[in-house]
Each structure stands twice: as C-alpha cells, then as structure tokens.
Amino acid sequence: MNGVQIRVRGQVQGVGFRPFIWRLAQGHGLVGEVLNDPEGVLIRVLSAPAGFLADIRSLAPPLARVDAVELGECRFELAPVGFTIAASAGQGAETRVTPDAATCPECRAEIAEPCRRKGYAFTNCTHCGPRFSILRGLPYDRAQTTMAPFEMCPACRAEYSDPADRRFHAQPVACPDCGPRLWFERAAAEMPGDPIAQAVADLRAGRIVAIKGLGGFHLACDARNPEALALLRSRKRRPAKPFALMAHEEVLHDVAHLSGADLVALRAPSAPVVLVSGRGVLPELIAPGMTQLGVMLPYTPLHHLLLSAFDGVLVMTSGNLSGEPQVIGNDEARAKLSNFVDGFVMHDRDIARRLDDSVVRADPPMVLRHARGRVPGTIPMPKGFEDAPQVLALGGQMKGAICLIKNGQALLSHHLGDLDDVLCLEEFHKAVADYRALFDHRADCIAVDAHPGYRATQAGQNMGLPLEGVYHHHAHLAACLAENGWPRDGGPVAGIILDGTGLGADGTIWGGELLLGEYARAERIAHLRPVALPGADRAAREPWRNLLAQLDAAELGVEADRILADKPIGLLRQAISAGLNAPLSSSAGRLFDAFAAALGFLGPQSYEGEAAVWLEALALTAPGDARAYTLGRVGAALDPLPMWRQWQADRNAGVSAPVMAYRFHAGLARGFADRARELVESGQAQAVALSGGCFQNALLHRLTLDALAGLPVLTHCDVPANDGGLALGQALVAAARQNPGIPSHPVTG
C-alpha cells in the first residue's frame, strides 16, 4: 500500500518526540509508525492531513527544535494496524543531539513528594535530565548511553512503555531500585548514612566538598563563610578569579539584583551561570574587586536536594587543578582532588564527556562560555552556503573549541580549555575524534588559525586533508556574520575586532582592528597604533609593562618614571629600544591592561582578563559622564597618544579613577565606531560587526552601540565573541573559499 513518509529534522531525539508523534497520530486517527534514525525522526502513515503536519511544528515538546518537515512517498508491504513506535534504525548521525536540560518542574516536585522517587538524585523524564553528557553514540537509545549498565526495574519499564506517561521512551529513566546510586566518601572510603546530610554537615562546618554533577565535578563550600572561601582559594591556588554561586531562586534574590532578563536566562533549560549585579552582602572573597556575581540555579535533582537541605548559597566552582580540565571520573577525582577537599559526593553513572557550565550575560545577551546545556546545538548556515562542503575547523590556542559543518548546519563544540595546557590539549584531540565519530563527519577540508605555532593549527597540519589557514581577526568577523545569518552575497561589512592578540597578515600581532570584509576575504582598514609588548607573553600577565610602553610611546616617560619607580623600567626600555623580546602589537587587550595599571592595577594578573574586568568594574561605579578620551588618527592608525595626555590632565586635576576609567571606555568605543560609520555612510560597508573578546565587556559593548546609533550592527549573542567562537568563523571562511568560483583571498594588511 502506498503511504506518506514524513521526515522531521532538527533537535528531535531525546526530547520525547516519538511519543509526542504517537499521541498526535492517535488524536488524528492515523495509522502507521514513527522511529528514530540517523537523520532524525521518520514517520510513515497512510495519509497525512494538513492539521497533523501543522501540529508537528506548533505542538512540539518543549526541548524540541524542528528545522524541517519533509514529505515523500513510502510503501507498506502490509496494511498497518494502529500507530506504533518502531525500533530505531540505521547507524551514523545526521540529526541534532539534545543538550542536557535542567530538572523540569514535575520532576522537581516529585523528588520532594512522598513517592518512590522522593529524594532520588537521578530523577528525570523526557522534558529534562542528562542527554549529551551521557551519550556514547547515535541513535539516542539507552544502550548508547552511560545508563546502559542500569537495567530498568518493572516499574520503570512500565513507565517507559506507557505512551501516556511523561517517561515514555525517556532513555535515562531510573529509580532507587534500578538506577544510579549516590554516596558520601571520605579518605577514599564510603561513609554510611545519608550522603546529602553528610555533605551538608561538612559544608556548614566550613569544609570543602567535591560534588559529582552532570558534566564533571564541582568544588563546593559555604558562600557566606569567609574562612571557607579563604581555605578554598588557598587550596586551589586561585587568589582572585571569581567563584560561581548556586542557590535556589528565592535565595539568590537576597544576594543579587535580578532583572527580568536575568531570571529568563537563569530559568532556561540550559541553566547557565549568569552574570548579575551583586548586592554586596556576600564576602569580598567571592569575587574580589568585582561588582558582579556569577550565579546559577540548581539544575539536577542532586543539586536541588543539596540546596534544599543546606538552605543557603554555595560556591560551585569547577573541580580541577589550576589550568587543567574539569575532573569527571571517580578515580580521577580521588587522585586529583583529595588534597584540597574534605569529602566527596559520588555516584556511579559515568560522564561521557567533560562539560563545564555555560556562562552568559543577559543584558546585553551574550554567551561567554559555550558549554553544558548549549551543546551540541547547531547553527543554520547562512543563505548561499546550502552546498557547503563538510569542514572541520579547529579554533585557536585559547578557549579551545572546534566546529563541524555538515548538511547546512554548523556545530560548535563545547569549551575545551587553553591548549597550552597538556591535558587540555589531550581533551582537544579526544573531542575532535568524539565529535567526528558521533556525528559521522567526513571532512573535505580542515580550517585552522594562520598562526603556525598554535597547537590546533599543528593538529590540522597532521590530518592529511586540504588545509585552509584563516587569519585570527578575519575568523572573528566571519563568526559574527555567521551567527547573524549574514548571506553570502550580503556584501562587505565593517568589522570592529577588539581582543588580546592574534597573528595578522603582515606578520605582526594584531588586536585592535577595523576590517572591511565578508566570508572569503577581508581587508584591514584601520588599527590601533602598534606599541611594544615588553617581555612578549609576560606583558599579558603584568599590566605595568604595557603601561610603560604606552606612556613612552605617548612621550610621557616622566609619568612612567613616577608611577613605576619600583619596577625595572630601565632594563625594559633597553629591550624595547633594541627590539629584544618586545614585539609590536595593535592589541586592544593590552591597551586595557595599560589603562588598568595607570589607575592602580599594578600586580600580576592571576587569570586572563583580570585587569580589564577590574577596569570595567571601576568604570561602572562612575557617575554619569558624557566625556570621552580621544583616539587620534595617523594614516590608518588610531593613536592612543591623545588619550594618554587627556588622562594625564585628568590625573593632575584630581579626577576620580572611576571617571577616568569610564572616559577610556567611551573613547575607545567612539574612536572605532566613528571610523566604521564612515565606511557604512560612504557605501563601502553594508553594516558593522562587533567581535573579539573585548566585547565581552558590557560597558564597551553598550558604548559602541550608542556610538553606532542609526546603523545596522551585528553582534554576538549565542556564539562567544571571544576565541571560543573562532572555529565557527574559520569554518565559514573555509567553506566560502572551497566552493568553486569563489576566489581564495586572504586578509590583507
């Protein structure tokens, strides 16, 4: 018998889509079947009324995303009877995998009510729970996950098999009788008793507890206890980097100002860490020198049970040695974390891959770290890339991430860490193999950063496939274009790209750039005046070095002598003069460091971007101020010299540090925005794109948008503006160049 075949593409596996279709078909009186296969969900019916097709999109489950509903013909050898859910078919992966999702309201209520799952830390259903963190292969079935060792008990099997139950075909379904179990451990020995109660007792006593979560271990302590915070900072050797916090929503209101946008972000299924304004009631040690806090809601039943019993705010920071990847295995945790925790909350469900917490800002909306809850979501390729080849892009050296292009979608991986760390590099190689196998990806070419010294670039060179080298700042521009769906024939865009460092087409270190370009090519139009980086890489760790170079370049050496009298400035000046380990750079990030040093941040940075974050926090305390320092123009260079002289005048006049910090931000924003505006108003550019790690700075972001008022502006929202988004840009540049008829044009100096 002839029938209708309906192919549903998108995020449609692991979200209750087959039982949804089953119930929908029952309501429409249809006969046939539905199944998972490598391309998504396949429906075969004798007839497909328009109402049924419309309901597939409009009534889809909350975690589903339907990209396409395609109709075709099929043939039934025997007339179907009723409507059934058939076994998954085929191997390989063309479909989207669902990210891990925070505990839904129904499951949260269930663990608190008298029932067989009361207090059970692994409660989940088709609307929530682990997905990508437990997945080993596709199609998404229990046998392909780390839940495979846990055979369902009769009660769970009945729920799993009942189309009317919200656990119908929920692959991680479990209960205390058949699922993973929780225990508390001290000195590698399991302790008898309630593990939640034992952990809470340790936390209330000021101890540090390692907690095995969804994508790895966290280190937890009482966020209101200064001694516990000092102990954690001392043991982890983390003197200043802010700690993330976890609490129930009603408790967070006591410690932070939560806007409506903040609450929307916090309540999302991805349950990210959200940067919010603090109320100043927690100890300074939570986020030294900062006015913002990184907060998140509990997103697993374990977290809900722990926070309900503790009734407060917990530090919930990544469980790892400094610079290393997050720990995920029980034995690994015992080996690496025992020296600085007092106890462990363990469980026996394996974690398939390391997934740090995602970090976002709600206003302006921006993803700062692309990780748990957001991966492996895909980004539709812009118009004009329908026939793009399969590309594997390997990203940069910092904030490692890879990107796969396939079937009109771009898949940006989770955050992999900084590849100068050996273990992070190992994770990078594992992720490349993992993603390629999981998504059945067969690359036609490899895209890499043009810097030959990057570990990711070297990995690409060893893959034996055609290689496309993409200059760092061109990749940033292309990533912003891709996220905004800028069509391939949309015309050139003025890209303001501000970050730390990246190799430029002229062989120097870029970082404060105005590009004019699109996917296949880009041209450098303007840039910050290059200034020496005394000590090269050390300049990124010690802001005073950048201050010396900037003041000398602005002919304000006398100011440098006064401010830096206790530093070895004579030796550094000799090195700069001789060009010894002092490369020239147009870096905006190092200019931020220099201004932070000028306003009092002289010590070494204990984490990347600390000085710039400090400078932004300082500027945010300034009263309203309409003034901005001035960037001069010398040919293509935007010269900070006038800025420094205006700063000197303000300093001598006793202007406050917050006001000077604000004027710096405003001056940098206006200087680049004015030059970009000229490109748009002259018809050379169709819009302005903002990218690069400096645009994580909310104040700079807002001031730049203000200065560009009236122009079309493309910004990052779901893809990191920092190097975590580079791989997406590299992939699109390579795809554009690989397509016949599109010439390969590199960035020009």
Side-chain angles (χ1 to χ4, degrees), residues 414-714:
H414 59 286
H415 169 78
L416 300 172
D418 297 340
L419 304 192
D420 50 5
D421 177 83
V422 173
L423 294 179
C424 287
L425 182 62
E426 288 181 7
E427 288 302 308
F428 165 82
H429 287 292
K430 289 179 185 177
V432 171
D434 178 31
Y435 275 80
R436 294 181 77 180
L438 192 58
F439 299 100
D440 194 23
H441 191 267
R442 296 175 174 83
D444 297 303
C445 76
I446 308 295
V448 296
D449 193 281
H451 195 304
Y454 282 4
R455 304 285 178 81
T457 301
Q458 294 165 355
Q461 292 168 342
N462 294 328
M463 289 184 177
L465 289 168
L467 198 71
E468 283 284 356
V470 182
Y471 283 106
H472 192 92
H473 299 90
H474 187 195
H476 273 307
L477 171 62
C480 189
L481 296 179
E483 178 181 354
N484 285 275
W486 189 258
R488 190 166 173 178
D489 61 357
V493 166
I496 302 176
I497 317 297
L498 306 180
D499 65 358
T501 57
L503 180 65
D506 60 358
T508 66
I509 302 171
W510 291 5
E513 314 304 319
L514 177 63
L515 304 182
L516 178 63
E518 34 80 32
Y519 295 107
R521 61 170 299 164
E523 177 185 1
R524 190 190 201 194
I525 299 297
H527 54 85
L528 285 175
R529 177 187 176 189
V531 174
L533 298 178
D537 289 345
R538 289 188 67 179
R541 299 190 297 271
E542 300 175 6
W544 68 267
R545 293 171 176 265
N546 300 295
L547 177 59
L548 173 66
Q550 288 283 348
L551 290 179
D552 282 358
E555 301 176 358
L556 294 174
V558 174
E559 290 284 0
D561 293 340
R562 266 199 300 267
I563 297 173
L564 304 173
D566 61 337
K567 303 294 184 184
I569 59 178
L571 291 175
L572 251 63
R573 280 172 170 158
Q574 292 177 27
I576 293 171
S577 178
L580 181 63
N581 199 29
L584 293 176
S585 173
S586 58
S587 169
R590 301 295 77 81
L591 182 59
F592 266 94
D593 292 348
F595 252 92
L599 298 183
F601 190 102
L602 296 177
Q605 301 193 76
S606 63
Y607 61 92
E608 185 200 4
E610 181 180 1
V613 171
W614 178 89
L615 187 66
E616 180 192 10
L618 188 65
L620 289 171
T621 66
D625 190 295
R627 284 188 53 191
Y629 291 149
T630 304
L631 274 177
R633 292 194 190 184
V634 182
L638 297 172
D639 192 353
L641 184 148
M643 277 188 161
W644 287 110
R645 294 188 173 174
Q646 291 161 10
W647 159 81
Q648 180 189 40
D650 278 353
R651 187 169 181 265
N652 292 339
V655 174
S656 71
V659 168
M660 290 188 283
Y662 182 92
R663 290 175 178 175
F664 164 74
H665 281 79
L668 189 64
R670 290 187 192 177
F672 274 93
D674 288 349
R675 190 70 182 87
R677 179 181 291 276
E678 293 170 8
L679 293 177
V680 176
E681 292 180 345
S682 68
Q684 297 177 74
Q686 305 305 307
V688 182
L690 309 182
S691 191
C694 290
F695 280 112
Q696 294 179 133
N697 181 316
L699 177 60
L700 178 69
H701 188 276
R702 176 172 61 79
L703 290 171
T704 306
L705 290 178
D706 289 347
L708 292 168
L711 300 182
V713 182
L714 312 177

